[in-house]
Amino acid sequence: MYISHAQPHFDVIATSEPTSDTVEVSPSKSFDDDDNLIMHPAKQRSCRSWRFGQCFKSTRYKGLKMAQLLCAVYILLMTFRYYPNGLIDPSAPLGQWRIVDVWNSENTAAGVIQLEGDPFGPKRAVVAKDRISLMCLAISRISAFTMYPCIFLVFMTKCKATINFLMTTPFSLYMVHDQHELHSFCGKFLAIDVWVHTLFHCLRWGLQGNIDLLWTNIAGITGLVALLACVMVCLPMMVQKLMRLMSYEVRKFLHITFFYIFAVALCLHNKTSAWPNGGYNQVILGFCIVYYTLDAAYVMFFMTEMIETTIFNVLPSGVQMTLAVSDHFQKAYAQGGYGYVCLPWVSKNQWHAFSLFEHPSNPNLRQVFMLNVGNWTKEVHAQLQRNTVRPAWIQGPFVSPYNNALAFDNTICVATGIGITPALSVIRAHRDSRRINLIWACRDVASK
């Protein structure tokens, strides 16, 4: 049995045969437009599991964890070998390892080394004179290298155009269906890992009397900037009180802006001249920044269109939009999916994600239903006192986590309220070839 909580108030339970075994996929970002994140029971369990560290015992994302393990083994081998293959002082006997600048004792006293005695080379703050310092260095370097797979996936899981393309290729067989949950998983790991990395570097510097490296060395300065940026990235998305106090638009702006700052700071954290004993930041982060920006630009210029004659039907509980999308839009994703909607007569800077479903009598039309629950949707409802036609921008369509319903022959759609919208596309797409059951619960008649 497969259970997905990827959208609010909607589950897809798909089975190939009756079974009591269940595998739960944690929820993705809410497609609702309101300013408050809707927490589902599954997501609350997911959040609690981070509190107790249970996520690391999970069997999810085995490929990611294997990549992190390989990165950790690699940097340990590159660090704890005798120079020039590693960083260990060749004159230090086994059991008395140390990492010092063998050419310049003044550098060692300052807590830095210059490889090959190059006086113009970068000063790397990796001096470790005793076992405790070596242990601190090992932990900080492992935490740094295990970030790389997560940083890559944090960017790639938000490359919407790329994901749309990959889902049409055999590569989709190996992709997770809930990209946002993977994004969230990697983001939480980074939030913890950055602190671990910083803590053990500072502990080592403090024990050796070189804490001034935090503000005098480029690695310390950029690391501090990255740490502060990471705080601004994560807190508005993870702390419930801040999520209630701050609007979605503000949180999204902080999330994206400070992650760019975080990524740029890491690009400058060390130089490629450190390769192969580090120096991958500029290559990995540089690639991710450029690729994500190009993907976002492609979505903006080639997957966004204005519908001049969007029909708005005003209902007591919300607003229903009917959009005559282009042939290109229809071919991009024939059934369902989701898209971002911008209504310039409400706000030119706000784009909100909604599930898309086909018009029951005209499959070439796409419909969106906005429940009157959030600040933005309330403003839309207030400006539309009657049924009317106004322009709207639509961006998409993007692959929905419910696309994997086609892998099963017996599907049970469980929805409450507005959660019926993604179920409609699943039903329409597979009603002739699969057994589909719908369980729909509403608070009141008006919500229907």
Side-chain angles (χ1 to χ4, degrees):
M1 183 180 290
Y2 172 83
I3 303 178
S4 171
H5 296 272
Q7 292 184 358
H9 314 304
F10 177 65
D11 303 336
V12 173
I13 305 175
T15 66
S16 57
E17 59 182 16
T19 175
S20 59
D21 298 332
T22 61
V23 179
E24 183 176 310
V25 177
S26 299
S28 72
K29 175 183 177 295
S30 169
F31 291 160
D32 280 353
D33 62 288
D34 56 328
D35 297 331
N36 298 319
L37 179 68
I38 297 176
M39 295 293 290
H40 309 284
K43 190 154 194 169
Q44 291 169 352
R45 290 194 297 272
S46 176
C47 292
R48 284 196 295 269
S49 69
W50 274 93
R51 238 172 256 155
F52 295 100
Q54 295 298 319
C55 63
F56 298 105
K57 300 178 182 179
S58 171
T59 58
R60 294 184 303 162
Y61 311 133
K62 292 181 180 179
L64 167 61
K65 294 173 183 178
M66 181 58 68
Q68 290 179 303
L69 178 60
L70 292 176
C71 288
V73 172
Y74 171 82
I75 194 56
L76 284 177
L77 292 176
M78 296 305 299
T79 301
F80 295 102
R81 292 196 298 174
Y82 287 113
Y83 185 84
N85 296 318
L87 296 178
I88 299 297
D89 180 4
S91 64
L94 186 65
Q96 299 181 16
W97 282 357
R98 61 183 182 179
I99 298 176
V100 296
D101 191 323
V102 296
W103 291 278
N104 191 328
S105 59
E106 294 182 359
N107 279 344
T108 300
V112 298
I113 65 173
Q114 290 177 295
L115 296 180
E116 299 181 4
D118 182 5
F120 302 103
K123 295 183 177 181
R124 306 189 63 191
V126 294
V127 168
K129 303 174 184 177
D130 51 47
R131 291 182 179 180
I132 295 178
S133 297
L134 286 171
M135 185 180 299
C136 290
L137 180 63
I139 295 174
S140 59
R141 301 205 89 190
I142 289 173
S143 63
F145 271 68
T146 53
M147 286 185 199
Y148 287 145
C150 286
I151 290 175
F152 179 80
L153 289 175
V154 160
F155 275 102
M156 293 300 109
T157 50
K158 291 303 175 181
C159 291
K160 300 182 182 70
T162 300
I163 292 172
N164 266 22
F165 169 74
L166 292 177
M167 289 301 291
T168 64
T169 69
F171 191 75
S172 63
L173 297 171
Y174 308 98
M175 293 174 62
V176 297
H177 292 285
D178 196 336
Q179 296 291 326
H180 183 78
E181 174 59 20
L182 177 57
H183 176 86
S184 178
F185 181 90
C186 292
K188 290 172 182 176
F189 183 90
L190 288 176
I192 297 172
D193 216 24
V194 166
W195 281 99
V196 172
H197 180 76
T198 305
L199 174 64
F200 280 93
H201 266 318
C202 290
L203 180 60
R204 177 172 57 87
W205 293 340
L207 291 173
Q208 297 180 153
N210 304 124
I211 194 63
D212 61 304
L213 290 172
L214 189 60
W215 55 85
T216 59
N217 185 270
I218 186 64
I221 296 172
T222 56
L224 188 59
V225 171
L227 176 66
L228 296 176
C230 185
V231 171
M232 296 301 297
V233 168
C234 298
L235 288 184
M237 294 296 182
M238 296 175 64
V239 179
Q240 291 296 306
K241 290 184 179 179
L242 290 177
M243 293 170 67
R244 287 191 291 267
L245 291 173
M246 302 169 65
S247 68
Y248 170 73
E249 292 74 31
V250 173
R251 290 189 290 114
K252 183 177 180 180
F253 174 79
L254 292 175
H255 191 70
I256 296 176
T257 301
F258 279 96
F259 196 79
Y260 265 108
I261 296 174
F262 171 81
V264 172
L266 289 187
C267 279
L268 303 174
H269 196 54
N270 54 38
K271 297 183 178 181
T272 54
S273 57
W275 188 88
N277 205 304
Y280 296 96
N281 296 40
Q282 293 181 352
V283 176
I284 296 175
L285 272 298
F287 170 81
C288 289
I289 292 172
V290 173
Y291 192 91
Y292 172 79
T293 303
L294 291 176
D295 186 274
Y298 181 88
V299 170
M300 178 62 67
F301 293 110
F302 299 102
M303 298 182 68
T304 305
E305 57 187 62
M306 184 179 72
I307 312 299
E308 296 181 356
T309 56
T310 303
I311 301 173
F312 293 86
N313 295 318
V314 182
L315 304 172
S317 57
V319 176
Q320 179 177 279
M321 297 172 54
T322 303
L323 306 97
V325 295
S326 66
D327 292 338
H328 174 75
F329 191 98
Q330 296 175 40
K331 292 178 181 178
Y333 201 66
Q335 300 283 350
Y338 70 97
Y340 287 84
V341 173
C342 174
L343 303 179
W345 37 274
V346 176
S347 174
K348 298 179 180 179
N349 301 316
Q350 296 187 33
W351 294 78
H352 294 271
F354 293 94
S355 296
L356 300 169
F357 57 99
E358 296 73 37
H359 191 281
S361 60
N362 187 352
N364 296 327
L365 299 177
R366 295 293 183 271
Q367 291 187 307
V368 166
F369 188 82
M370 302 177 181
L371 192 63
N372 187 19
V373 293
N375 293 342
W376 187 77
T377 47
K378 288 180 179 178
E379 180 65 23
V380 174
H381 197 267
Q383 293 201 29
L384 297 174
Q385 299 298 320
R386 57 181 175 80
N387 296 344
T388 185
V389 176
R390 294 192 184 184
W393 286 88
I394 181 73
Q395 188 177 90
F398 304 113
V399 176
S400 166
Y402 302 108
N403 186 54
N404 66 332
L406 59 84
F408 305 92
D409 58 6
N410 186 20
T411 302
I412 304 174
C413 300
V414 184
T416 61
I418 190 61
I420 188 65
T421 53
L424 296 176
S425 293
V426 173
I427 294 171
R428 182 180 183 86
H430 308 300
R431 62 187 177 185
D432 296 329
S433 59
R434 291 165 175 80
R435 181 181 178 182
I436 300 178
N437 298 279
L438 172 65
I439 301 174
W440 184 26
C442 301
R443 290 182 180 179
D444 51 61
V445 177
S447 65
K448 298 179 182 180

